[in-house]
Coordinates of all heavy atoms in Angstrom, one line a residue:
R12 N -160.8 51.0 0.4 CA -160.5 52.1 1.3 C -160.2 53.3 0.5 O -160.6 54.4 0.8 CB -159.2 51.7 2.1 CG -159.5 50.8 3.2 CD -158.5 50.7 4.3 NE -158.9 49.9 5.3 CZ -159.8 50.3 6.3 NH1 -160.2 51.5 6.3 NH2 -160.2 49.4 7.2
R13 N -159.4 53.2 -0.6 CA -159.1 54.3 -1.4 C -160.3 55.0 -2.0 O -160.4 56.2 -2.0 CB -158.1 53.9 -2.6 CG -157.4 55.0 -3.3 CD -156.5 55.8 -2.4 NE -155.4 55.0 -1.8 CZ -154.3 54.8 -2.5 NH1 -154.0 55.3 -3.6 NH2 -153.3 54.1 -1.9
A14 N -161.3 54.2 -2.4 CA -162.5 54.8 -3.0 C -163.3 55.5 -1.9 O -163.8 56.6 -2.1 CB -163.4 53.7 -3.6
A15 N -163.3 54.9 -0.7 CA -164.0 55.5 0.5 C -163.5 56.9 0.8 O -164.2 57.8 1.2 CB -164.0 54.6 1.7
E16 N -162.1 57.0 0.6 CA -161.5 58.3 0.9 C -162.0 59.4 -0.1 O -161.9 60.6 0.2 CB -160.0 58.2 0.7 CG -159.3 57.5 1.9 CD -157.9 57.0 1.5 OE1 -157.3 57.5 0.5 OE2 -157.3 56.2 2.3
Q17 N -162.5 59.0 -1.3 CA -162.9 60.0 -2.3 C -164.3 60.6 -2.0 O -164.7 61.5 -2.7 CB -162.8 59.4 -3.7 CG -161.4 58.9 -4.1 CD -161.2 58.8 -5.6 OE1 -162.2 59.1 -6.3 NE2 -160.0 58.5 -6.0
V18 N -165.0 60.0 -1.1 CA -166.4 60.5 -0.8 C -166.3 61.7 0.1 O -165.5 61.7 1.1 CB -167.2 59.3 -0.2 CG1 -168.6 59.8 0.3 CG2 -167.3 58.1 -1.1
E19 N -167.0 62.7 -0.2 CA -167.0 64.0 0.5 C -168.3 64.2 1.3 O -169.3 63.7 0.9 CB -166.7 65.1 -0.4 CG -165.3 65.1 -1.0 CD -165.2 66.0 -2.2 OE1 -166.0 66.9 -2.4 OE2 -164.2 65.9 -3.0
D20 N -168.2 65.0 2.3 CA -169.3 65.4 3.1 C -170.5 65.9 2.2 O -170.3 66.7 1.3 CB -168.9 66.5 4.1 CG -169.4 66.3 5.5 OD1 -169.6 65.1 5.9 OD2 -169.7 67.3 6.2
G21 N -171.7 65.4 2.5 CA -172.9 65.9 1.8 C -173.2 65.2 0.5 O -174.2 65.4 -0.1
M22 N -172.3 64.3 0.1 CA -172.5 63.5 -1.1 C -173.7 62.6 -1.1 O -174.0 62.0 0.0 CB -171.2 62.8 -1.5 CG -170.3 63.6 -2.3 SD -168.9 62.5 -2.9 CE -168.1 63.5 -4.1
R23 N -174.3 62.3 -2.2 CA -175.3 61.3 -2.4 C -174.6 60.1 -3.1 O -174.1 60.3 -4.3 CB -176.5 61.8 -3.2 CG -177.1 63.0 -2.6 CD -177.9 63.8 -3.6 NE -177.0 64.4 -4.6 CZ -177.4 65.1 -5.6 NH1 -178.7 65.3 -5.8 NH2 -176.6 65.5 -6.5
V24 N -174.5 59.0 -2.5 CA -173.6 57.9 -2.9 C -174.3 56.6 -3.3 O -175.1 56.2 -2.5 CB -172.5 57.6 -1.9 CG1 -171.5 56.6 -2.4 CG2 -171.8 58.9 -1.4
G25 N -174.1 56.1 -4.4 CA -174.6 54.8 -4.8 C -173.6 53.7 -4.4 O -172.4 53.8 -4.6
L26 N -174.1 52.7 -3.7 CA -173.3 51.6 -3.1 C -173.5 50.4 -4.0 O -174.6 49.9 -4.2 CB -173.7 51.3 -1.7 CG -173.7 52.5 -0.7 CD1 -174.1 51.9 0.7 CD2 -172.4 53.2 -0.6
G27 N -172.3 49.9 -4.4 CA -172.4 48.7 -5.3 C -172.5 47.4 -4.5 O -172.9 47.4 -3.3
T28 N -172.3 46.3 -5.3 CA -172.6 45.0 -4.7 C -171.4 44.0 -5.0 O -170.8 44.1 -6.1 CB -173.9 44.4 -5.4 OG1 -174.9 45.3 -5.0 CG2 -174.2 43.0 -4.9
G29 N -171.1 43.1 -4.1 CA -170.0 42.2 -4.3 C -169.0 42.3 -3.3 O -169.1 43.2 -2.4
S30 N -167.9 41.5 -3.4 CA -166.9 41.5 -2.3 C -166.1 42.8 -2.3 O -165.8 43.3 -1.2 CB -166.0 40.3 -2.4 OG -165.4 40.3 -3.7
T31 N -165.7 43.4 -3.4 CA -165.0 44.6 -3.4 C -165.8 45.8 -2.9 O -165.4 46.6 -2.1 CB -164.4 44.9 -4.8 OG1 -163.9 43.7 -5.4 CG2 -163.3 45.9 -4.8
A32 N -167.1 45.8 -3.4 CA -168.0 46.9 -3.0 C -168.2 46.8 -1.5 O -168.3 47.8 -0.8 CB -169.3 46.8 -3.7
T33 N -168.2 45.5 -1.0 CA -168.4 45.3 0.5 C -167.3 46.0 1.3 O -167.4 46.6 2.3 CB -168.5 43.8 0.8 OG1 -169.8 43.4 0.2 CG2 -168.6 43.6 2.3
M34 N -166.0 45.8 0.8 CA -164.9 46.4 1.4 C -165.0 47.9 1.4 O -164.7 48.6 2.4 CB -163.6 46.1 0.7 CG -163.3 44.6 0.6 SD -162.7 44.0 2.1 CE -162.1 42.4 1.6
F35 N -165.5 48.4 0.3 CA -165.7 49.9 0.1 C -166.7 50.4 1.1 O -166.5 51.4 1.8 CB -166.1 50.2 -1.3 CG -166.9 51.5 -1.4 CD1 -166.2 52.7 -1.2 CD2 -168.2 51.5 -1.8 CE1 -167.0 53.9 -1.3 CE2 -168.9 52.7 -1.9 CZ -168.3 53.9 -1.6
I36 N -167.8 49.6 1.2 CA -168.9 50.1 2.1 C -168.5 50.0 3.6 O -168.8 51.0 4.3 CB -170.2 49.2 1.9 CG1 -170.7 49.3 0.5 CG2 -171.3 49.5 2.9 CD1 -171.8 48.3 0.0
K37 N -167.7 49.0 3.9 CA -167.2 48.9 5.3 C -166.3 50.1 5.6 O -166.3 50.7 6.7 CB -166.5 47.6 5.5 CG -167.5 46.4 5.6 CD -166.8 45.1 5.9 CE -167.8 44.0 6.1 NZ -167.2 42.7 6.1
A38 N -165.4 50.4 4.7 CA -164.5 51.6 4.9 C -165.3 52.9 5.0 O -164.9 53.7 5.8 CB -163.4 51.6 3.7
L39 N -166.3 53.0 4.1 CA -167.1 54.2 4.2 C -167.9 54.3 5.5 O -168.0 55.3 6.1 CB -168.1 54.2 3.0 CG -168.8 55.4 2.6 CD1 -167.9 56.6 2.3 CD2 -169.8 55.2 1.5
G40 N -168.3 53.1 6.0 CA -169.0 53.0 7.2 C -168.2 53.6 8.4 O -168.7 54.3 9.3
E41 N -166.9 53.3 8.3 CA -166.0 53.8 9.4 C -165.9 55.3 9.3 O -165.9 56.0 10.3 CB -164.5 53.3 9.1 CG -164.4 51.8 9.5 CD -163.0 51.3 9.1 OE1 -162.1 52.1 8.9 OE2 -162.9 50.1 9.0
R42 N -165.9 55.9 8.1 CA -165.9 57.3 7.9 C -167.2 58.0 8.4 O -167.2 59.0 9.0 CB -165.6 57.7 6.5 CG -164.2 57.4 6.1 CD -163.8 58.2 4.8 NE -163.9 59.6 5.0 CZ -164.1 60.5 4.0 NH1 -164.2 60.0 2.8 NH2 -164.1 61.7 4.3
V43 N -168.3 57.3 8.2 CA -169.6 57.7 8.7 C -169.6 57.7 10.2 O -170.1 58.7 10.8 CB -170.8 56.9 8.1 CG1 -172.1 57.2 8.8 CG2 -170.9 57.2 6.6
K44 N -169.1 56.7 10.8 CA -169.0 56.6 12.3 C -168.2 57.8 12.8 O -168.5 58.3 13.9 CB -168.4 55.3 12.7 CG -169.4 54.3 13.0 CD -168.9 53.2 14.0 CE -170.0 52.2 14.2 NZ -169.9 51.1 13.2
A45 N -167.2 58.2 12.0 CA -166.3 59.3 12.4 C -166.9 60.7 12.1 O -166.3 61.7 12.4 CB -164.9 59.1 11.8
G46 N -168.1 60.7 11.5 CA -168.8 62.0 11.4 C -169.1 62.4 9.9 O -169.8 63.4 9.7
L47 N -168.7 61.6 8.9 CA -169.0 62.0 7.5 C -170.5 61.9 7.3 O -171.2 60.9 7.7 CB -168.3 61.0 6.6 CG -168.5 61.2 5.1 CD1 -167.7 62.4 4.6 CD2 -168.2 59.9 4.3
K48 N -171.1 63.0 6.7 CA -172.6 63.0 6.5 C -172.8 62.7 5.0 O -172.5 63.6 4.1 CB -173.1 64.4 6.8 CG -173.0 64.8 8.3 CD -174.2 64.4 9.1 CE -174.2 64.7 10.5 NZ -173.3 63.8 11.3
I49 N -173.4 61.6 4.7 CA -173.8 61.2 3.3 C -175.1 60.5 3.3 O -175.6 60.1 4.4 CB -172.7 60.3 2.7 CG1 -172.5 59.1 3.6 CG2 -171.4 61.0 2.4 CD1 -171.6 58.0 2.9
R50 N -175.7 60.5 2.1 CA -177.0 59.7 2.0 C -176.7 58.7 0.8 O -176.0 59.0 -0.1 CB -178.1 60.6 1.6 CG -178.6 61.5 2.7 CD -179.6 62.5 2.3 NE -179.0 63.5 1.3 CZ -179.7 64.3 0.5 NH1 -181.0 64.2 0.5 NH2 -179.1 65.1 -0.3

Side-chain angles (χ1 to χ4, degrees):
R12 283 197 175 279
R13 194 59 66 84
E16 285 164 12
Q17 298 203 0
V18 175
E19 294 168 14
D20 224 33
M22 273 187 167
R23 301 159 297 177
V24 186
L26 307 181
T28 299
S30 56
T31 317
T33 294
M34 301 285 192
F35 155 67
I36 297 168
K37 287 182 174 168
L39 192 59
E41 287 174 20
R42 291 198 59 207
V43 168
K44 266 204 180 90
L47 182 76
K48 295 268 179 286
I49 52 170
R50 290 173 292 162

